[in-house]
Amino acid sequence: MAKYKGTIGILTGGGDVPGLNPAIRAVTIRALGEGYRVVGLRRGWAGIVDMVPDENADNGINFQMLTEDDVNRTVRTGGTFLHSSRTRPSHLPHQAVPSHLKDRYKDDINDVTPSVLENLEYLGVDYLIPIGGDDTLSYAYTLHTEGVKVVAIPKTMDNDVPGTDYCIGFGTCVTRTIEMANALRSTAGSHERILVIEVFGRYAGFTALLPTMAGAADRCVIPESEFDIENLTELLVEDRLKNPSRYSVVLVSEGAKMSGDVVFESEGTDQYGHRKLGGIGDQVAARIAELSPRFNNGSAVNVTSQSLGYMVRSGVPDSLDSVAPMAFGNLALDLVLQGDTGRLVGVRNGVYDSVPLDVVHGPHKVVDVEKYYNTERLRPSYETFGGNPLFMS
């Protein structure tokens, strides 16, 4: 029987992004080379919640032992081959409690952490490496306080996890946003339109700010600063008139707020209490169309709206989301080998580093409006770049 130094568990939680499979591969290849075995926990926290700790049970959808062949086949693909979910074991609705645990957890909302700990022990997990955003990592911190040896890797397109300059998925999101905004210019120019493009960004506006810096749009509105729709309309009409092709473009973060309005969101929430956002782009476009005659000599401007949505999180990772996850995975294994757990790997001040995991309970990382955003002109501030961080975070 093969002998191992220990077992490392790895999972991906929350929304999928390009770069997750390269991170899983990096952890697995390095861990196997160091003499560990690696178990992939499937479907985020759901796999370890639904698992039946019995060798005769069929747990194929809950976990799998990982090999080099498994991870080498997936490294160039998007998403996560381990699958994902937004399950929150500390706040699990009764209808989500697996059947074999319903007699044990009978409340409307249940904390099934005792069962999670039992299942991790059953699998023999010595170290746990969760990859996710602040929701996934907040529960990872809970397990850390319960004695689980956790080393976490940050992932989110919004790039808003505190404690790191960069999160897996952000680079591809910015790359795709620029590519798609530029592609949409052809139809905007052909019909002399104002083009409203809705992008991800619940709390932080980095995914609208950076593409606008790169010239993908004339203006952007972000969650960190309420905007006046009349001011935005006037600016976009002005941009359109100055453009020889007679069109203009604005990027709208899904969490952006018009002055006096509420965030455009659905009624339902996930297990982390988040309402589903989306639709503000259509709302903004309708208001711009309504107001445009006021700033265009009485003539209405044709306005169109497009949500990029899941297109920016689908498909293969760009170069940054191929390289950074590799580094993050190796950073995580460095910490495992040093016995230094309760940490979050990442990038700080332009270099790879790690910080205590409790940073995930701090405030979201957001755009520094005073430094990087002109609230009157509704565009990035270009006053100075010397000494500024690469991702304005």
Side-chain angles (χ1 to χ4, degrees):
M1 177 181 292
K3 292 191 176 181
Y4 302 95
K5 291 181 180 178
T7 298
I8 294 173
I10 185 169
L11 64 87
T12 52
D16 64 289
V17 298
L20 292 173
N21 288 333
I24 297 168
R25 176 182 181 273
V27 169
T28 301
I29 296 294
R30 176 79 181 281
L32 294 175
E34 295 287 350
Y36 290 83
R37 65 174 187 164
V38 183
V39 55
L41 306 176
R42 299 176 60 81
R43 300 178 296 117
W45 296 119
I48 198 67
V49 167
D50 294 347
M51 198 189 96
V52 179
D54 183 337
E55 62 180 12
N56 295 316
D58 182 4
N59 282 304
I61 65 170
N62 297 322
F63 71 88
Q64 68 180 96
M65 305 309 299
L66 298 182
T67 67
E68 287 196 24
D69 286 344
D70 293 330
V71 297
N72 280 333
R73 287 196 302 268
T74 66
V75 67
R76 291 174 293 278
T77 61
T80 167
F81 80 93
L82 289 179
H83 300 180
S84 188
S85 73
R86 298 189 184 277
T87 296
R88 187 182 187 186
S90 59
H91 294 71
L92 197 67
H94 189 260
Q95 63 267 27
V97 175
S99 57
H100 69 283
L101 295 178
K102 285 193 181 293
D103 289 341
R104 183 173 178 182
Y105 302 102
K106 302 179 180 180
D107 295 334
D108 290 340
I109 301 295
N110 301 270
D111 182 358
V112 301
T113 298
S115 294
V116 169
L117 294 171
E118 291 166 10
N119 287 342
L120 289 173
E121 183 177 1
Y122 173 80
L123 289 173
V125 172
D126 299 290
Y127 297 92
L128 182 63
I129 300 180
I131 309 173
D134 54 350
D135 292 333
T136 299
L137 302 185
S138 67
Y139 186 69
Y141 179 75
T142 296
L143 293 181
H144 164 66
T145 63
E146 294 287 342
V148 178
K149 297 175 181 178
V150 177
V151 177
I153 296 177
K155 171 276 317 176
T156 173
M157 290 184 308
D158 296 352
N159 204 37
D160 63 353
V161 173
T164 178
D165 297 349
Y166 188 80
C167 302
I168 295 172
F170 179 60
T172 306
C173 178
V174 171
T175 297
R176 297 269 165 77
T177 299
I178 294 170
E179 290 174 349
M180 292 179 185
N182 288 338
L184 288 166
R185 288 175 179 273
S186 60
T187 187
S190 296
H191 297 276
E192 301 181 355
R193 292 168 171 161
I194 291 174
L195 174 61
V196 178
I197 302 177
E198 182 180 326
V199 298
F200 282 115
R202 176 182 292 272
Y203 305 110
F206 299 110
T207 54
L209 186 78
L210 267 69
T212 305
M213 280 185 166
D218 302 289
R219 312 285 165 177
C220 63
V221 291
I222 60 178
E224 294 86 345
S225 178
E226 287 190 357
F227 69 97
D228 181 85
I229 188 64
E230 292 189 15
N231 182 36
L232 176 62
T233 302
E234 183 176 10
L235 291 169
L236 288 170
V237 170
E238 177 184 304
D239 294 333
R240 175 179 175 271
L241 292 174
K242 289 180 179 178
N243 188 336
S245 294
R246 294 179 64 80
Y247 74 92
S248 56
V249 182
V250 59
L251 295 183
V252 179
S253 297
E254 62 180 346
K257 298 176 284 292
M258 284 189 279
S259 300
D261 287 353
V262 297
V263 178
F264 200 79
E265 58 188 15
S266 65
E267 291 299 318
T269 63
D270 62 20
Q271 292 178 26
Y272 291 91
H274 301 311
R275 294 186 185 277
K276 182 177 177 60
L277 298 182
I280 190 174
D282 291 338
Q283 188 183 43
V284 168
R287 292 287 285 133
I288 291 173
E290 177 186 335
L291 292 168
S292 63
R294 188 181 305 178
F295 308 102
N296 194 46
N297 297 319
S299 297
V301 178
N302 189 355
V303 183
T304 190
S305 173
Q306 178 67 54
S307 173
L308 299 189
Y310 292 101
M311 293 299 294
V312 298
R313 75 185 328 156
S314 301
V316 299
D318 70 359
S319 59
L320 191 53
D321 278 324
S322 297
V323 175
M326 175 277 299
F328 283 1
N330 278 280
L331 277 170
L333 260 295
D334 288 342
L335 293 171
V336 166
L337 295 175
Q338 295 163 16
D340 190 3
T341 59
R343 307 286 295 182
L344 173 73
V345 305
V347 177
R348 287 177 61 80
N349 300 318
V351 298
Y352 291 113
D353 200 355
S354 69
V355 295
L357 185 55
D358 62 3
V359 72
V360 301
H361 285 299
H364 287 93
K365 183 180 66 181
V366 296
V367 172
D368 185 332
V369 171
E370 185 175 346
K371 291 180 66 174
Y372 303 125
Y373 186 67
N374 188 320
T375 58
E376 294 298 320
R377 303 297 293 168
L378 303 181
R379 59 173 32 156
S381 174
Y382 299 97
E383 291 182 6
T384 179
F385 277 85
N388 284 335
L390 178 60
F391 302 113
M392 304 302 167
S393 56

